[in-house]
Every structure is written in structure tokens, then in C-alpha cells.
Amino acid sequence: IVPLSTIMNTTEGIYVIKIDENNTARWILVTTGLSNEKSIEIFSNNLQDDDNLALIAAEEIRNGSTVKSVSSK
């Protein structure tokens, strides 16, 4: 379950943006499930529970681009 802001709807599908250990953005195709006004279930074989996702998904974050990680702590 993730915040709705992590979901990106495109003409090619529904994605989240995973940030890997090298701070590289990877678009991950997902299937969505139940949702409410704040969060949504996502399903993908390419995600793990401890993966870092962009909190606000945007097409401006290109697949394969390097991003700066900001800690929420």
C-alpha cells in the first residue's frame, strides 16, 4: 500500500518510480488494487517491501535518470 502520489498514469500503463541503490530512477509497471482517498494497493513482481519509491511520481523523472535522494528522517 502506497500513497496515491506515488502512482503515475501514462498512456502506456500505471507506474511507480523505484529509486535504486545508485539513485537511478526506474519506472516499474504495476497493477492497482483497492484504494481510498490517500492510498492505493499496488502489485508487481519487480518490487520488494523495502524498495524506495519516489513520493511524487512525475513523467519529468525519466526512466534511467539519476535523482537526488532526500531523506524523510
Side-chain angles (χ1 to χ4, degrees):
I1 297 176
V2 297
L4 282 173
S5 62
T6 63
I7 299 294
M8 181 171 54
N9 288 299
T10 73
T11 57
E12 298 171 2
I14 301 171
Y15 294 87
V16 294
I17 300 173
K18 175 180 165 180
I19 310 301
D20 70 16
E21 63 277 352
N22 298 315
N23 288 331
T24 302
R26 301 286 178 207
W27 288 22
I28 306 296
L29 187 63
V30 297
T31 302
T32 57
L34 298 175
S35 66
N36 61 30
E37 63 278 351
K38 294 182 181 181
S39 59
I40 189 166
E41 288 180 310
I42 59 170
F43 304 95
S44 174
N45 291 332
N46 297 315
L47 290 173
Q48 302 298 320
D49 287 340
D50 61 346
D51 284 340
N52 292 319
L53 301 179
L55 289 178
I56 300 175
E59 289 189 45
E60 289 79 12
I61 304 173
R62 305 306 308 158
N63 191 29
S65 65
T66 301
V67 296
K68 183 177 180 181
S69 180
V70 178
S71 175
S72 61
K73 296 179 182 177

